[in-house]
Amino acid sequence: MNKTVSQVKKGKFFRAADLILLVLVIVSVIGIAVSESRPEGGTVTVYVADRKYGEYPTSVDREIHIEAEGADMIMAIRDGAVKVTHSNCPNKQCTLLEISRQGQSIICLPNKVVIKIQGESDVDGVT
């Protein structure tokens, strides 16, 4: 116990694990701040098997039936948010998410469906 007290007096208060924890907390806070700063709204783009299925504005409430390549899903747009309300995939993980900000996406691997909110400034590739 005396060794710990003397280490604190010598300035060895932080251990390597404490420093790693501090860095992780700082990175987490920055990540949350960046994700919350993304603008809401835009266009919902639906891809089925890497092909564009359709684009829909988030400002119009509607339900879209996605039926292609074995996928049978219903996507709902309400109050600027997008949610899959029905899916024929086995695990139904895609129905647990709701997205409303640019850059967010819902991915259903079994059905090969990607639902992504994009804004006017989103870049899909580099020339």
Side-chain angles (χ1 to χ4, degrees):
M1 184 147 187
N2 290 337
K3 188 174 184 182
T4 306
V5 172
S6 65
Q7 286 177 343
V8 171
K9 289 181 181 178
K10 290 181 184 178
K12 295 183 179 180
F13 184 69
F14 286 108
R15 289 184 235 144
D18 295 332
L19 186 60
I20 291 171
L21 181 63
L22 180 64
V23 169
L24 288 174
V25 168
I26 291 171
V27 169
S28 297
V29 168
I30 291 171
I32 290 170
V34 168
S35 70
E36 289 298 318
S37 69
R38 290 182 181 163
E40 292 184 357
T43 303
V44 178
T45 307
V46 179
Y47 300 92
V48 179
D50 293 330
R51 292 190 190 110
K52 188 184 283 187
Y53 183 83
E55 287 185 341
Y56 312 93
T58 57
S59 59
V60 179
D61 290 353
R62 63 172 68 175
E63 284 192 351
I64 293 101
H65 192 176
I66 303 167
E67 192 172 27
E69 302 282 331
D72 183 17
M73 303 171 73
I74 297 175
M75 175 184 74
I77 302 172
R78 293 206 196 332
D79 300 323
V82 180
K83 182 168 178 58
V84 174
T85 58
H86 167 77
S87 177
N88 67 334
C89 66
N91 59 11
K92 311 279 191 256
Q93 292 291 313
C94 55
T95 63
L96 302 176
L97 300 173
E98 181 175 286
I99 58 175
S100 61
R101 298 190 179 277
Q102 293 177 17
Q104 291 181 324
S105 59
I106 297 173
I107 300 171
C108 181
L109 288 177
N111 284 332
K112 301 175 189 168
V113 174
V114 176
I115 299 167
K116 183 175 181 181
I117 297 181
Q118 297 177 313
E120 294 177 19
S121 63
D122 283 356
V123 178
D124 287 338
V126 178
T127 309

